[in-house]
Amino acid sequence: MKIIAVYHSKGGVGKTATSVNLSYLAAHSGAKTLLCDLDAQGSATYYFRIKPKFKSRSQGLLKGGQKIEQNIKGTDFKNLDLMPSDLSFRNLDLNISNLNCSQNLLSNALNSLVSEYDYIFLDCPPNLTILSENIFYAADFILVPIIPTTLALRSYIQLIKFFKKKHYDRKKILLFFSMIENRKKMHTEVSGFIERNFKRVLNTRIPYRSEVEKMGAFRAPVPVFAANSVVSKAYQNLWNELYFGHLKI
Amino acid sequence: MILNIPPNIDEERILKIMKDQFRIKDEGLVVENALYFDTFDWRLYHKNYLLLLRKSTLYLQNLNENLETMPLAIQTQPGFVWELPESNLKKQLTPIIEMRILLRLMEILTERRIIGVQNKNKKTICRIFLIRAQHVHKPGQKPFARLLEIQPVRGYQKPALKLKNTLAKIGINEREDNLFLKALQAVNRSPGDYSAKMNIPITPQMRSDDAVKKILRFLVKVMRDNEDGIKNDIDTEFLHDFRVAVRRNRSALGQLKKVFLPEITERFKNDFSYLCKTTNRLRDLDVYLLDKDHYKALLPHFIRNDIDPFFINIAKERRKAFNQVKRVLKSPRYNKIMNDWEAFLNPKATFSKTAANARIPIIDLAKKRIIKKYRFIIRSGKKIKIDSPDQMLHSLRIECKKLKYLLEFFSSLFPIEERNRLIKQLKKLQDNLGRFNDFSLQIKSLLALAEKFSGDDSLERRNIVAIGTLVGAIDKEKLKTRSSFSEVFKNFASEENQKFFTALFDDD
């Protein structure tokens, strides 16, 4: 079982679109896949037409085992399950602090699923908290989507510095360009700069396309309602690159 | 959850009712073929297994569950178990099926209409399959089963349950009968419709001639059931079951004296003796070929392949013997024997003259014959010492067999558990005597068959050496068996066993 987190400290860069579309494509290729919506906003949950949880105390997630099992819902798509967003995730940080500030709680919680799923995708909240540290610890790979702008570059460098400081394994981080617009000069310049100066940058670039916004209207992953679109094919390429270049090894 | 759709409800009505509470989406139609296999004597069924072939893959299924396990990809339809590719399935099946061939039981076509059930958010919360199952070779017939399977989506148990309750209200409930059995019924088969096991229902006070005729009618049926299998050379056991039935016939006629008139008894004893004689050779050769691997394993490895010419010769002889048996079964003489015998055994046939024991209650006859045979066995066995001639053991073996047949003929007259216990004891003795007999015969015929090889070339000479080595190995086994006889017989003839036997069968 491999755990893939999709993370960025800012919102609106395509985290949820990425986790939804990649988890769909993984499942479609035959792998048993779980998408965990760890963002209290619950967008991933909404895309799959599932209701987020309102009632539970989020300690349930970290207690793992049966609690997680009980909350998992099947999506409409074969091999793909979802753990819905829990609105009380907002309080998650406080709760983790109560539970000894430990960074391996999430990892332990997800261990109970090792025999059930080939891949677990984590749709992460856009912040840097103890939950995030739990995610960094638990994940085998951390996919970081970046809109190639100067500010984004700054965020990325901050993330690297954070990893260095905490002695986390920076090799887990895989960067790719999201919502990229080739006619914007800044995008081409910054992406070129990043590619030349940083390691572990994926080749596939996800272009900005309106189909991704339409996910909210269709409430389904892009390959389901717009299989022939450029962006659908881009996500397929991204999955292929991730699978053949990193997961399979 | 698989539910039964009663004949008075059609699928459209079900969908209509569901539309009142849920959203429905047609998700397609899946059509599949499955071929079911078992041996002629239902060996897999008796172990609660089903073997099915679907899209070039074999699956093993437990009769009472829905789960298909041990998938095995194959190129051709399954026949003999040794032809299957090495696999867990092969390992599982071999001890059950042994040397019998797998025959097609039936071919079932399943049409599965997939319906997605959605909530207000158009989220699919469960799926239902509307299933129709019918036999492939009976087109135009109604499906023998119409089912509704509810497949819940993970995390949505409550709506699935709600749906189940809604369906229960209109009479759609869980299946009570077994789908496999229902399918067989639709083609007029039932599991175990062929069995060579004797359990003939006769009552203690029945007239002996009526009771014995009932037993013999069963045996005739076994013979008839196996005829086609023999003539078409399907597998070796058709002939085996046929011969066992013939032997039992002879034993009944020989042991149950004065139940029928002497003309009848003598005539048919001769006829069945003829049938045994004409099939002996083929059976012997079949057994050689079945045991080939076992024999080769008895040889040291450097000689093992040298014995191949011997078996090639056996296979040739076997072909000849088979053709001969086929001719016999098609012959007018055979037809006359069977037709006359069936006419005699016909329950409606009446006879003016009857034999001395014809009218006595069968229970009396049975007990008398059983206890007499038993005592004879005890006396004869006690006479056998360590250096007694082999012939005494061979004779004892035959007497034990006669006793076994008697116990089988009259199984319904005596309490099951006690009877089974005695048969178990008898079997141990029979196994020892049987092995001893087999080894003796093998040595004798191996030596005789070896005569056929002239030793003119090196290959033949090596073959003869290999046969000699084999004879030596078998002789060793034979001596082992002989030396354990006295212990085995002592157990059989123990005080406790004798008391038990007498209690069950002796009247005084």
Side-chain angles (χ1 to χ4, degrees):
Chain A
M1 180 178 87
K2 298 257 167 54
I3 300 177
I4 304 142
V6 184
Y7 173 82
H8 194 113
S9 55
K10 287 164 123 65
V13 301
K15 271 190 300 350
T16 301
T18 301
S19 51
V20 164
N21 288 305
L22 285 187
S23 59
Y24 170 81
L25 290 168
H28 191 67
S29 74
K32 287 277 311 161
T33 312
L34 175 68
L35 174 60
C36 288
D37 190 352
L38 297 177
D39 190 346
Q41 285 181 55
S43 314
T45 308
Y46 177 79
Y47 283 146
F48 283 109
R49 300 177 181 270
I50 294 173
K51 288 202 201 115
K53 285 194 79 58
F54 289 88
K55 284 192 274 185
S56 87
R57 283 166 296 152
S58 58
Q59 267 171 359
L61 165 62
L62 297 167
K63 285 214 179 120
Q66 216 194 20
K67 262 285 179 173
I68 288 194
E69 302 267 296
Q70 281 172 356
N71 288 324
I72 293 178
K73 302 244 186 274
T75 65
D76 283 8
F77 309 105
K78 195 168 175 204
N79 292 326
L80 184 60
D81 290 344
L82 177 91
M83 205 192 62
S85 155
D86 187 329
L87 291 196
S88 54
F89 275 173
R90 274 190 239 120
N91 300 321
L92 199 59
D93 251 277
L94 207 58
N95 290 327
I96 294 183
S97 313
N98 292 345
L99 298 166
N100 300 327
C101 276
S102 186
Q103 63 179 186
N104 61 355
L105 291 171
L106 181 62
S107 180
N108 291 341
L110 293 179
N111 264 340
S112 62
L113 303 171
V114 73
S115 56
E116 284 198 59
Y117 294 103
D118 299 313
Y119 301 114
I120 298 186
F121 284 84
L122 305 174
D123 189 21
C124 308
N127 51 35
L128 194 59
T129 60
I130 298 212
L131 173 62
S132 317
E133 292 189 53
N134 267 266
I135 290 169
F136 298 151
Y137 181 86
D140 297 300
F141 295 96
I142 300 163
L143 271 183
V144 178
I146 279 196
I147 307 179
T149 63
T150 353
L151 278 183
L153 183 54
R154 279 192 83 226
S155 313
Y156 181 64
I157 293 172
Q158 275 173 353
L159 180 67
I160 308 262
K161 280 191 180 157
F162 182 79
F163 265 59
K164 261 194 193 155
K165 191 173 110 182
K166 295 277 189 168
H167 302 288
Y168 289 148
D169 183 3
R170 276 171 289 149
K171 292 214 190 77
K172 289 187 185 183
I173 303 175
L174 296 171
L175 185 157
F176 71 97
F177 299 116
S178 173
M179 298 167 72
I180 196 168
E181 290 174 83
N182 283 329
R183 46 196 188 102
K184 286 190 178 161
K185 200 158 169 232
M186 176 179 281
H187 282 199
T188 34
E189 281 179 0
V190 173
S191 57
F193 177 80
I194 291 177
E195 269 175 345
R196 285 190 300 275
N197 293 295
F198 290 85
K199 294 192 197 148
R200 281 178 298 280
V201 179
L202 295 177
N203 295 322
T204 313
R205 299 165 168 217
I206 308 292
Y208 178 92
R209 282 293 190 278
S210 59
E211 279 89 356
V212 176
E213 278 158 5
K214 287 180 189 159
M215 278 169 67
F218 284 98
R219 293 180 84 178
V222 172
V224 172
F225 63 86
N228 290 324
S229 61
V230 168
V231 73
S232 172
K233 290 178 190 168
Y235 276 119
Q236 182 70 65
N237 287 336
L238 184 64
W239 169 246
N240 287 347
E241 190 181 351
L242 185 61
Y243 175 74
F244 286 110
H246 300 274
L247 295 174
K248 196 174 168 186
I249 297 169
Chain B
M1 266 180 267
I2 302 198
L3 312 172
N4 199 25
I5 303 177
N8 59 323
I9 301 181
D10 77 25
E11 284 90 343
E12 290 314 315
R13 177 161 163 228
I14 297 173
L15 293 177
K16 204 153 162 248
I17 290 173
M18 285 171 58
K19 278 185 189 146
D20 290 338
Q21 289 184 16
F22 307 94
R23 271 188 144 83
I24 304 285
K25 184 171 174 226
D26 216 302
E27 287 187 8
L29 180 67
V30 174
V31 178
E32 273 180 334
N33 246 24
L35 260 168
Y36 290 83
F37 294 88
D38 206 338
T39 59
F40 189 67
D41 52 353
W42 298 92
R43 289 182 182 209
L44 289 173
Y45 176 80
H46 287 307
K47 294 271 180 193
N48 269 332
Y49 283 130
L50 301 180
L51 184 67
L52 57 135
L53 180 65
R54 184 179 285 142
K55 286 209 192 90
S56 297
T57 306
L58 271 180
Y59 298 93
L60 194 64
Q61 190 178 333
N62 185 291
L63 191 61
N64 300 314
E65 292 166 7
N66 238 0
L67 199 61
E68 292 169 4
T69 60
M70 300 201 187
L72 176 64
I74 55 174
Q75 310 275 45
T76 55
Q77 282 192 14
F80 289 107
V81 74
W82 52 79
E83 293 164 345
L84 292 175
E86 291 306 314
S87 54
N88 279 336
L89 182 62
K90 183 178 180 175
K91 284 200 196 97
Q92 185 86 351
L93 293 180
T94 303
I96 302 171
I97 296 180
E98 295 180 303
M99 74 296 277
R100 301 227 67 162
I101 203 170
L102 283 164
L103 299 167
R104 284 167 81 150
L105 270 181
M106 54 187 179
E107 188 173 2
I108 297 190
L109 182 77
T110 331
E111 293 161 344
R112 196 182 298 254
R113 201 170 143 199
I114 308 172
I115 308 277
V117 180
Q118 298 174 341
N119 65 12
K120 292 186 302 261
N121 284 328
K122 289 202 192 164
K123 170 78 180 74
T124 306
I125 52 155
C126 80
R127 287 186 174 82
I128 64 163
F129 302 114
L130 293 171
I131 305 172
R132 287 178 166 229
Q134 62 195 88
H135 285 280
V136 166
H137 296 294
K138 294 198 160 215
Q141 230 197 25
K142 279 193 307 179
F144 64 83
R146 289 184 314 134
L147 308 166
L148 192 151
E149 184 178 353
I150 300 181
Q151 193 189 66
V153 170
R154 185 170 186 170
Y156 291 96
Q157 277 85 1
K158 283 208 202 111
L161 214 56
K162 190 171 158 203
L163 178 62
K164 186 169 182 245
N165 291 335
T166 307
L167 292 171
K169 288 202 187 103
I170 58 167
I172 297 180
N173 288 307
E174 293 200 34
R175 285 200 70 84
E176 275 158 5
D177 50 0
N178 186 297
L179 199 59
F180 179 72
L181 296 177
K182 190 141 186 231
L184 283 174
Q185 227 177 26
V187 284
N188 292 322
R189 298 288 308 270
S190 70
D193 53 13
Y194 169 80
S195 172
K197 291 212 163 100
M198 299 199 69
N199 197 5
I200 298 154
I202 49 179
T203 54
Q205 295 307 316
M206 261 173 105
R207 285 171 60 133
S208 287
D209 55 1
D210 285 341
V212 174
K213 278 191 186 179
K214 203 165 177 193
I215 294 170
L216 295 173
R217 277 197 296 273
F218 173 81
L219 293 172
V220 161
K221 181 169 189 302
V222 172
M223 287 172 70
R224 285 297 199 193
D225 285 344
N226 282 295
E227 278 171 7
D228 283 341
I230 301 173
K231 287 190 275 197
N232 293 317
D233 205 12
I234 296 178
D235 71 33
T236 54
E237 301 312 283
F238 288 93
L239 180 66
H240 177 63
D241 281 1
F242 178 89
R243 282 166 51 88
V244 170
V246 171
R247 279 203 290 269
R248 286 188 172 137
N249 246 314
R250 287 175 69 187
S251 192
L253 288 171
Q255 295 199 78
L256 305 174
K257 304 198 199 290
K258 301 196 190 144
V259 172
F260 305 130
L261 295 174
E263 308 90 81
I264 303 284
T265 316
E266 284 316 302
R267 183 224 153 153
F268 286 108
K269 258 170 78 176
N270 286 334
D271 285 339
F272 290 122
S273 173
Y274 159 74
L275 287 180
C276 268
K277 286 209 183 79
T278 50
T279 54
N280 271 343
R281 182 128 179 93
L282 177 55
R283 178 61 187 164
D284 284 345
L285 295 171
D286 275 346
V287 169
Y288 267 115
L289 291 171
L290 284 172
D291 287 344
K292 180 167 126 186
D293 289 336
H294 168 72
Y295 283 134
K296 286 180 88 162
L298 285 175
L299 291 171
H301 66 92
F302 48 85
I303 289 190
R304 225 164 260 171
N305 289 334
D306 290 345
I307 206 164
D308 286 341
F310 175 73
F311 284 106
I312 293 174
N313 199 37
I314 297 269
K316 279 199 202 125
E317 296 289 317
R318 196 256 167 205
R319 194 83 228 143
K320 280 193 220 152
F322 166 73
N323 286 327
Q324 219 248 331
V325 166
K326 193 166 159 185
R327 277 196 295 273
V328 167
L329 287 181
K330 288 184 169 171
S331 68
R333 180 172 176 185
Y334 176 76
N335 283 328
K336 187 162 189 341
I337 293 173
M338 293 300 282
N339 288 336
D340 287 353
W341 189 227
E342 280 168 334
F344 172 70
L345 293 177
N346 191 318
K348 298 202 182 90
T350 52
F351 300 90
S352 47
K353 251 177 88 181
T354 53
N357 285 338
R359 273 185 244 258
I360 69 171
I362 189 65
I363 185 76
D364 295 341
L365 183 68
K367 279 188 178 175
K368 188 165 147 204
R369 302 306 312 171
I370 290 175
I371 201 74
K372 195 163 173 196
K373 185 60 64 189
Y374 177 74
R375 292 204 176 114
F376 183 69
I377 289 173
I378 299 284
R379 281 200 308 274
S380 311
K382 284 195 176 150
K383 289 189 191 145
I384 297 176
K385 309 288 174 217
I386 196 76
D387 53 1
S388 303
D390 288 359
Q391 187 50 46
M392 287 176 82
L393 286 120
H394 296 319
S395 305
L396 185 65
R397 181 187 71 90
I398 292 175
E399 296 305 309
C400 285
K401 200 163 228 188
K402 288 182 180 170
L403 177 61
K404 175 158 172 263
Y405 286 158
L406 287 173
L407 292 171
E408 285 171 345
F409 291 151
F410 304 121
S411 56
S412 61
L413 296 177
F414 303 104
I416 303 177
E417 269 185 44
E418 283 89 330
R419 200 195 124 255
N420 282 345
R421 182 188 149 159
L422 289 169
I423 293 211
K424 211 168 140 201
Q425 295 296 325
L426 182 60
K427 188 172 190 309
K428 287 186 196 153
L429 179 58
Q430 278 186 289
D431 281 347
N432 177 283
L433 293 168
R435 263 203 315 278
F436 183 74
N437 181 58
D438 283 344
F439 292 143
S440 307
L441 289 176
Q442 279 163 24
I443 292 173
K444 225 166 111 191
S445 60
L446 274 171
L447 290 173
L449 286 162
E451 297 279 310
K452 297 243 167 92
F453 294 93
S454 57
D456 278 342
D457 64 45
S458 154
L459 202 67
E460 283 204 359
R461 284 196 290 276
R462 290 223 303 276
N463 187 39
I464 292 173
V465 168
I467 295 175
T469 316
L470 190 57
V471 167
I474 295 176
D475 193 51
K476 234 172 119 185
E477 297 295 310
K478 179 181 161 190
L479 287 172
K480 257 197 243 166
T481 308
R482 176 71 174 88
S483 58
S484 56
F485 168 77
S486 60
E487 181 71 30
V488 172
F489 183 77
K490 217 167 85 173
N491 288 334
F492 175 75
S494 69
E495 280 291 327
E496 201 198 329
N497 274 344
Q498 286 202 50
K499 256 195 232 162
F500 197 75
F501 206 97
T502 325
L504 202 56
F505 297 106
D506 206 348
D507 271 331
D508 343 289

